[in-house]
Amino acid sequence: MIRAIKLTLFVFLTATTFIVGFSACQDKTKTNNDIKDEIIYHVFQRSFFDSNGDEHGDLAGIQQKLDYLQDLGVTSILLTPLYESVYYHNYYSSDFEKIDSTYGSKEEYLALIREMHRRGMKLYMDMETQYVTEDHPWYKESLGKPESKFSDYILYDDKEQLKPSSIVFDIYDLLGYDGQRRKITTVNLLNKEVIKYNKELFAYWLDPNQDGNFDDGVDGFRLDHMMDDLDNKGRLKNLFRDFWVPLIDTLKSINPKIHIMAEQADWGSYGIDYLTDAKVDWVFAFRIQQAIRTMDKAKIMAYADTTFKETPQGKNQILFIENHDIPRFSTAVKQDKGKEKVGAALNLLIGGIPSIYYGQEIGMLGDSFFGKYGGITDSNEIPYREAFEWTKNKDTPGMAYWYRNSGPWWETSTVKSDDGISVEEQQNDPNSLLSTYKSLIKLRKEHPVLINGNYQSLNNNSKDVVSFYRINDNTKALVIINLSANEEKIELPLEKGNPNLVYGENKGGFKDGKLEVVISGSATQVWLMK
């Protein structure tokens, strides 16, 4: 993704656009059985856990923490890119075929994925092959050399091939947090050899030893900054048809069970065209994510109605409140404990496939540095990519401080000792945010309607209480979430049968076909009706 620029676009869209009103409920039945029991844990692996003392999170560190992840209840891991790059986030590659050595070896990668598969977990890999740095062979061997076999692999603005084309918003280079600056350019995705290369590259990760057994292969890919007309330049058009669909068709012919998720480049988009035209399985529910941060009932319900109504049968939305490109949720809600738990409930209960960004479950903090220390640089997002807080003592071995003493983001770090934001401090506290995530995930597993039930909004007379159904063939669940800190009282007309409260506490009752709900501030209730 285009790092700081994407954040600017997000802020602009959030501030200037939202859909008003409510639409009809989703009446489509999901046919993809694999959405059952799918909860993604989105890892920024450089910051997760350091297994060898070099302060870089690594593949072996992830493997050591699989017990923690399974205890949390997640079923899948989404990694940020693994391939070699001068940049700490590993976007803008110098070599797509090499694993960044700070993450570990190919053998350690294979050990991780085999162990995950042994446990019944899935691994998804983030890929962005649209851009390369000046260190990449295609760039080096074609610059100023029109006769090179790689001359058409890169977009140039002149016949002499001395002016590599810019990427989005006319960016030609990017300054790294460590002072390194690299030129970046766009790959010609319509070149037949580039298309062939991508098919082979992606296919390799599906079955590294090519034995037809996928125990060592990824379970799918996240396609970063995916577009039909790359960066809206008009030079690489119809990419859905001519690049992405052929690639996805090839991958699904190898392993039909994989899932492809797209990050739509326009964060104001519902991403429906990716699902209908590009053969992508899942897109990210950006509009719901943006609405949740406002804690505005009208926005949340309007965006949820539209998102789920428009999502085609057999496709799905990834529901999230945090990722590696936006400030932390706990920072956005000013560490309001009630709002943190409301965010968890919406993330896990409203529908789609939930994705939890590492550290979200313990309330880690982090704001953007964009505009504070210069222009566009990859340091702007370091504050929400900091070391995962395992212990109450921030200096415990295993902490992934790869950014130590590298700039003001280190000096103003939100990672502190004894502040309540760590696994150690929360794991035995039944009222902690971590315990809330565990209990909500456990609730999903106990009641599958919360996993694969369709979404249907339910109006009520409170401006602060979100209410909706999750419905499958046999069961209907009613979810009620109080966005405010104040106790709320509402009445809801219900169909025949007595509702059964399976999560939360209610001070009201059920009488004459009406459910009287008295819900505490920032609380969640889940009722089952069969």
Side-chain angles (χ1 to χ4, degrees):
M1 162 181 313
I2 311 303
R3 306 264 71 84
I5 295 173
K6 249 331 167 35
L7 175 64
T8 305
L9 177 62
F10 162 76
V11 172
F12 173 77
L13 287 169
T14 303
T16 59
T17 62
F18 82 95
I19 295 174
V20 179
F22 302 103
S23 60
C25 72
Q26 181 189 21
D27 59 2
K28 304 178 182 70
T29 300
K30 301 296 182 186
T31 60
N32 187 344
N33 292 328
D34 287 342
I35 68 170
K36 185 168 62 175
D37 201 34
E38 180 95 19
I39 300 177
I40 297 170
Y41 194 79
H42 185 184
V43 176
F44 193 80
Q45 62 265 9
R46 194 174 299 279
S47 299
F48 193 57
F49 186 72
D50 166 30
S51 71
N52 61 7
D54 66 357
E55 296 198 308
H56 289 265
D58 47 43
L59 296 165
I62 296 174
Q63 184 168 343
Q64 290 179 26
K65 294 299 182 180
L66 291 179
D67 284 348
Y68 165 77
L69 295 178
Q70 289 199 296
D71 181 61
L72 176 60
V74 302
T75 66
S76 311
I77 294 176
L78 168 61
L79 300 177
T80 43
L82 285 175
Y83 46 67
E84 190 175 85
S85 171
V86 70
Y87 297 107
Y88 73 87
H89 45 68
N90 295 92
Y91 293 93
Y92 312 130
S93 179
S94 57
D95 192 331
F96 295 116
E97 299 174 30
K98 292 181 180 178
I99 294 176
D100 185 328
S101 61
T102 57
Y103 295 141
S105 64
K106 177 183 175 182
E107 289 70 27
E108 287 172 308
Y109 164 78
L110 293 173
L112 168 64
I113 196 166
R114 286 179 174 136
E115 175 59 18
M116 287 182 61
H117 285 165
R118 187 190 70 79
R119 293 168 177 250
M121 301 179 75
K122 296 179 180 179
L123 182 70
Y124 299 109
M125 182 177 289
D126 195 352
M127 298 288 281
E128 181 194 64
T129 58
Q130 301 95 303
Y131 310 107
V132 293
T133 68
E134 62 184 281
D135 308 288
H136 194 280
W138 297 348
Y139 191 117
K140 292 191 295 185
E141 296 184 30
S142 65
L143 183 66
K145 301 173 184 177
E147 71 282 1
S148 168
K149 68 176 183 178
F150 298 119
S151 64
D152 193 43
Y153 283 46
I154 300 293
L155 290 189
Y156 284 95
D157 294 337
D158 64 327
K159 292 182 179 179
E160 295 77 20
Q161 296 189 181
L162 295 171
K163 298 178 180 178
S165 181
S166 64
I167 59 173
V168 67
F169 298 141
D170 291 326
I171 292 175
Y172 290 92
D173 56 31
L174 179 65
L175 177 65
Y177 83 102
D178 54 0
Q180 296 190 70
R181 183 181 291 275
R182 286 293 189 276
K183 294 183 177 65
I184 306 173
T185 194
T186 301
V187 174
N188 181 7
L189 298 182
L190 295 178
N191 175 279
K192 291 182 180 179
E193 293 301 315
V194 169
I195 294 172
K196 179 183 177 183
Y197 177 87
N198 274 272
K199 289 179 179 179
E200 293 173 350
L201 176 69
F202 279 72
Y204 168 79
W205 292 112
L206 292 182
D207 187 8
N209 60 8
Q210 297 184 325
D211 65 351
N213 184 337
F214 303 116
D215 66 337
D216 56 354
V218 296
D219 298 284
F221 298 97
R222 176 187 180 274
L223 305 178
D224 187 84
H225 189 63
M226 186 179 179
M227 299 186 73
D228 190 38
D229 176 1
L230 187 57
D231 298 328
N232 298 313
K233 289 182 174 183
R235 294 186 66 179
L236 296 175
K237 300 172 68 174
N238 299 316
L239 289 175
F240 283 0
R241 181 193 69 196
D242 297 331
F243 180 82
W244 293 113
V245 168
L247 174 61
I248 292 171
D249 281 347
T250 297
L251 300 178
K252 295 245 176 168
S253 71
I254 297 170
N255 183 357
K257 295 182 179 180
I258 64 169
H259 289 107
I260 307 295
M261 63 188 88
E263 183 220 20
Q264 57 268 45
D266 178 2
W267 290 359
S269 162
Y270 290 95
I272 305 304
D273 53 336
Y274 291 77
L275 303 173
T276 57
D277 300 340
K279 291 195 174 182
V280 165
D281 299 301
W282 306 331
V283 293
F284 289 85
F286 277 100
R287 303 311 271 151
I288 297 177
Q289 175 267 317
Q290 293 158 11
I292 291 173
R293 290 196 170 211
T294 69
M295 290 289 159
D296 184 310
K297 170 187 172 178
K299 292 182 182 180
I300 292 169
M301 296 189 70
Y303 284 143
D305 280 341
T306 302
T307 296
F308 294 120
K309 179 184 177 182
E310 298 299 324
T311 300
Q313 181 177 343
K315 305 289 186 173
N316 223 320
Q317 299 276 340
I318 299 175
L319 267 291
F320 69 106
I321 60 173
E322 285 190 26
N323 69 17
H324 63 303
D325 289 317
I326 55 178
R328 291 280 190 175
F329 184 78
S330 292
T331 292
V333 299
K334 299 179 173 25
Q335 291 186 270
D336 184 301
K337 300 304 180 185
K339 290 180 179 179
E340 290 176 339
K341 293 182 179 181
V342 165
L346 289 166
N347 192 172
L348 290 163
L349 300 179
I350 203 167
I353 299 168
S355 176
I356 298 169
Y357 183 52
Y358 84 103
Q360 171 186 323
E361 74 273 21
I362 55 174
M364 281 183 61
L365 302 170
D367 206 347
S368 176
F369 267 47
F370 188 79
K372 296 180 181 178
Y373 296 97
I376 297 172
T377 164
D378 72 358
S379 64
N380 290 323
E381 291 86 8
I382 289 177
Y384 32 89
R385 300 170 181 172
E386 287 204 77
F388 185 88
E389 299 184 60
W390 294 101
T391 56
K392 63 186 297 185
N393 179 356
K394 70 179 181 64
D395 296 316
T396 302
M399 293 293 289
Y401 291 131
W402 52 268
Y403 52 100
R404 182 187 293 275
N405 296 323
S406 60
W409 41 88
W410 171 259
E411 297 159 11
T412 58
S413 171
T414 60
V415 177
K416 302 182 185 302
S417 297
D418 302 301
D419 63 354
I421 305 176
S422 72
V423 173
E424 181 183 358
E425 290 167 285
Q426 294 189 25
Q427 60 187 353
N428 295 319
D429 179 1
N431 295 315
S432 69
L433 185 59
L434 178 60
S435 293
T436 297
Y437 273 92
K438 288 182 178 181
S439 64
L440 287 168
I441 293 173
K442 182 174 181 286
L443 180 72
R444 286 169 53 90
K445 297 181 187 301
E446 292 172 345
H447 304 288
V449 66
L450 297 172
I451 296 171
N452 54 24
N454 292 327
Y455 170 92
Q456 177 183 326
S457 63
L458 178 65
N459 288 324
N460 64 67
N461 59 0
S462 169
K463 67 180 179 62
D464 292 315
V465 176
V466 170
S467 55
F468 55 87
Y469 288 116
R470 299 290 304 280
I471 306 169
N472 62 22
D473 293 337
N474 303 313
T475 309
K476 177 184 284 190
L478 170 62
V479 180
I480 303 170
I481 301 172
N482 186 358
L483 304 176
S484 78
N486 302 315
E487 182 177 275
E488 293 279 334
K489 180 178 180 180
I490 60 174
E491 279 192 350
L492 296 170
L494 298 181
E495 300 171 358
K496 295 180 181 179
N498 290 323
N500 178 32
L501 184 65
V502 296
Y503 187 87
E505 297 180 356
N506 183 42
K507 301 174 185 177
F510 181 67
K511 185 177 181 182
D512 299 328
K514 289 185 178 180
L515 177 65
E516 182 183 75
V517 173
V518 180
I519 183 169
S520 300
S522 305
T524 296
Q525 295 179 9
V526 178
W527 300 78
L528 283 190
M529 289 154 283
K530 293 188 178 181

